[in-house]
């Protein structure tokens, strides 16, 4: 009688999804010895930017689907000369702002304006997809990982003349064997982190002033899944 043969494989599949959202992280920061001016300049720039964002903010249709201003910091650093003499304190005020765009052309226009604002800095841009797109991509990745595992198992079985494989158990990485390394299902890349001046974007409906900007190219979002699976077959089946 033929002896049943079983073996374990790991399947993996990755889906590339075009970016649907871009979150730009900005900082408004002023530094100087005049405490009141530093605070006032930062407050004025923040209010100007907030006014613009209220025009652009439409959660369902964009171009700004969400935004927040947080992590306000106001303080001072003591300064001394190399001889130990006390200098005027250096005061600072800064606030971080995150803005999520669904319209990438509007994103580029907006960043071009912020780059010209005294005290404004662009820290980074994070590309992402919607929750619905992520859920669909995860389902596709998981199904693809299961197919990949079966195809791998069948290749081994064919090479050894063991016939058609059948699945015995399937698990996400780390659950099939206690000793397996953790390798969670993939998702979106980790989520997340403007001064005074009149060079801010015009409200919706108004003609924006011409300005230079650096065009950003959206990155595809990689969504991956892995599984571990036991397969079995009987030689000659």
């Amino acid at each position: 009688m033929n002896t049943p043969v079983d073996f374990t494989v790991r399947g993996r599949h990755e889906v590339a999804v075009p970016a649907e959202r871009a979150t730009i992280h900005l900082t408004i920061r002023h530094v100087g010895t005049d405490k009141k001016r530093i605070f006032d300049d930062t407050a004025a720039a923040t209010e100007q930017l907030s006014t613009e964002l209220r025009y652009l903010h439409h959660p369902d249709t964009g171009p700004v689907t969400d935004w927040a201003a947080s992590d306000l910091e106001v303080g001072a650093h003591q300064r001394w000369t190399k001889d130990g003499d006390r200098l005027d304190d250096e005061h600072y005020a800064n606030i971080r702002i995150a803005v999520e765009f669904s319209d990438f052309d509007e994103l580029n226009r907006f960043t071009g304006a912020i780059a010209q604002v005294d005290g404004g800095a662009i820290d980074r841009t994070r590309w992402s997809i919607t929750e619905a797109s992520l859920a669909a991509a995860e389902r596709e990745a998981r199904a693809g990982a299961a197919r990949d595992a079966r195809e791998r198992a069948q290749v081994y079985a064919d090479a050894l003349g063991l016939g058609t494989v059948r699945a015995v158990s399937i698990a996400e990485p780390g659950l099939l064997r206690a000793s397996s390394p953790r390798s969670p299902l993939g998702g979106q890349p980790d989520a997340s982190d403007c001064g005074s001046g009149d060079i801010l974007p015009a409200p919706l409906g108004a003609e924006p002033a011409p300005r230079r900007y650096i065009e950003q190219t959206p990155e595809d979002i990689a969504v991956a899944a892995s599984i571990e699976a036991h397969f079995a077959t009987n030689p000659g089946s």
Side-chain angles (χ1 to χ4, degrees), residues 32-39 89 91:
T33 57
D34 188 330
K35 180 178 181 180
K36 184 177 185 304
R37 179 178 178 181
I38 293 306
F39 182 86
D89 288 347
H91 297 275

Side-chain angles (χ1 to χ4, degrees), residues 5 74 83 124 155 215 229:
V5 176
V74 178
D83 297 322
R124 67 185 185 279
V155 167
E215 183 175 357

Side-chain angles (χ1 to χ4, degrees), residues 18 153 175 183 191 196:
L175 300 179
S183 179
S196 59

